[in-house]
Amino acid sequence: MPETTELSRPIAAAPGAPQSRAVFSRATALPLIFGVVAALPLAVAAQPGEGVRDTAFLLQLVVACYAGARLCAMVLAGQRRLIQGAFWLFCYLAMGVAPLAQSVLGREPTPVVGPRSDTVLATALVLLGMVAFDVGAMLARNRPALRGRKRAPARVDRWRLWLLVGFSLAASGVFVVQLGGPAVFFSSREEILLGLEEVTGGQVDQETGEAGNALLRGFGTVPVLLALLLLTRWLVTSRSARRSPSVLAAWTVVAAVNVIVNNPVSNPRYWFLTVLFSLLFTVFPRSPVMYRASLALGVIVALLIFPFADRYRYADDAANQTGSGSLLEPLAVKDYDQVGMFANHITFVDDGHHTYGGQLLGSVLFFVPRTLWEEKPVDSGVLVGEWMGTNNTNLSSPLWAELWLDFGPLGMTAGLLAVGYGAARADRRYVSRTLHDPSPGNVFAVVVPLIAGYSFILLRGSLLQATGRIVIVALCLALVTTFRDRPERRLW
């Protein structure tokens, strides 16, 4: 029998059972809803600025309010909806409040080269995509549970987990040694990029692009993160593991290596959010307070801390010093250029550049060398950036823009509907699996928090940048997962 601890007690009933009462009382919920849905967007809209209060501005205000309402619904929900919660947190901040602030200031973090009508269309399509996501989630929630032959659950094999731990430590060790030692990882992201170029003879960006760069760093950062999550899951759900010197020693070493290779100084902030979210929901797999606090406080952290957390991107901190003539100034940074870049993607397509699924194909087949595929697509943000003529082509390409670029308006709507359906199904299964299977080897209990954290990167784009780490995660999970029940190889 798997051990049951305080951390493994359910917070919600299984699908179809009566829902548990929301943690927030009415006295707490009403101020939250008012603040997120109305007060913050209206306060941003009322700030002085040079922006024009036109149709794009009004649509952006609607987007912020709609995303805020859905985020509050996730916070107050009776069940944990990790992936959906991450989606609405991203939408509220990156597609709602931040673009609204930019519209008020009349300042775009990335130049928008097309007419204002393209920005209006982009904002309207963002709203359409959100509605499509909601429809897909609603269809998934109303879908009855499948009945039939039960399949063996996916579990972590203990011997294979030790193999992953050894491989992850070796891969991260090679990564650290090649870049010159641990000190480099506490200097700046610029030093990491220079180290990667040195290791590869200065050919990372020219030959393999952002996907190749992510792949090179991926084996040094992803396996050791997944090893940490699996060991953490083992410790928080098993008293025997907490009494085992070997498990405690392995966790300590893996955690120390993660501090080196996955710290916020040497990594993009969106990747560090992945690390933070996945670890948080693995340490507290059934805590309703932690789930709701993560979403509610995520808004505050993203608005007050996230814009200033890039000071270690360059070795010279002065390179990031900017004036702050307005309270909205921190939101007019390139990290929040998603709506503007979506408008540029629309202008790009209107200019006659149709990809017809080529960008998605390039992301799926990212591993094919360019020597074998000369016309292999480049990163979507780079593609549009080069067409725009910008010096810095490391630009975002949000999921809305990726789908529009490849499949047009119908494909974008259908794609986000499918994403909403898949997210709701995964969240529903996560609650069910963690409720009925509190064992340490429950793979799903680790995979869903990791997907929820990584969704920030997938939603921001581009897909080509995100693909490398996804494949590495899949390979690591394939290594440790088994569907055969061997008592002698279970996590105890």
Side-chain angles (χ1 to χ4, degrees), residues 23 41 79 95 108 123 136 152 230 233 251 315 327 331 342 411 490:
V23 172
Q79 292 183 345
M95 311 298 276
E108 301 288 346
T123 309
L230 293 171
R233 167 75 184 176
W251 185 91
L327 294 175
L331 297 178
F342 188 12
R490 289 181 190 167

Side-chain angles (χ1 to χ4, degrees), residues 137-336:
M138 180 184 65
L139 293 175
R141 287 195 294 270
N142 293 333
R143 182 178 183 271
L146 292 175
R147 300 182 181 276
R149 186 175 64 88
K150 293 184 177 180
R151 294 175 296 179
R155 299 186 181 277
V156 177
D157 183 280
R158 178 155 45 99
W159 294 1
R160 295 183 185 182
L161 175 57
W162 288 123
L163 182 61
L164 174 64
V165 170
F167 171 76
S168 66
L169 293 177
S172 295
V174 171
F175 183 51
V176 172
V177 170
Q178 285 187 335
L179 265 64
V184 177
F185 292 83
F186 297 96
S187 55
S188 68
R189 284 171 56 189
E190 183 182 29
E191 292 295 325
I192 297 294
L193 293 175
L194 291 175
L196 284 170
E197 291 182 0
E198 222 176 282
V199 169
T200 57
Q203 297 299 313
V204 173
D205 289 333
Q206 288 83 352
E207 292 187 358
T208 60
E210 291 295 331
N213 196 337
L215 192 59
L216 287 173
R217 301 181 65 171
F219 279 103
T221 57
V222 174
V224 75
L225 172 61
L226 190 58
L228 177 64
L229 297 178
L230 293 171
L231 288 173
T232 300
R233 167 75 184 176
W234 193 358
L235 286 172
V236 300
T237 56
S238 171
R239 186 178 292 108
S240 299
R242 294 193 291 273
R243 295 173 178 174
S244 171
S246 60
V247 179
L248 291 173
W251 185 91
T252 302
V253 174
V254 169
V257 174
N258 271 280
V259 170
I260 297 173
V261 300
N262 282 320
N263 67 75
V265 176
S266 58
N267 286 278
R269 287 161 293 170
Y270 280 95
W271 172 247
F272 184 69
L273 280 178
T274 301
V275 176
L276 193 61
F277 258 69
S278 58
L279 186 59
L280 190 66
F281 291 134
T282 302
V283 173
F284 302 98
R286 294 177 177 275
S287 171
V289 175
M290 189 57 62
Y291 162 70
R292 291 168 172 86
S294 298
L295 295 182
L297 294 178
V299 176
I300 300 174
V301 171
L303 293 176
L304 299 181
I305 298 177
F306 193 79
F308 301 99
D310 207 23
R311 61 177 302 177
Y312 296 109
R313 178 177 234 166
Y314 304 100
D316 182 11
D317 289 346
N320 294 302
Q321 300 294 329
T322 57
S324 55
S326 169
L327 294 175
L328 306 182
E329 195 84 16
L331 297 178
V333 295
K334 192 171 73 66
D335 295 280
Y336 294 128

Side-chain angles (χ1 to χ4, degrees), residues 460-471:
R460 179 186 183 270
S462 67
L463 290 180
L464 186 57
Q465 291 187 23
T467 307
R469 279 180 166 139
I470 291 176
V471 172

Side-chain angles (χ1 to χ4, degrees), residues 121-132:
L121 178 58
T123 309
L125 289 172
V126 167
L127 182 60
L128 175 62
M130 292 179 181
V131 174

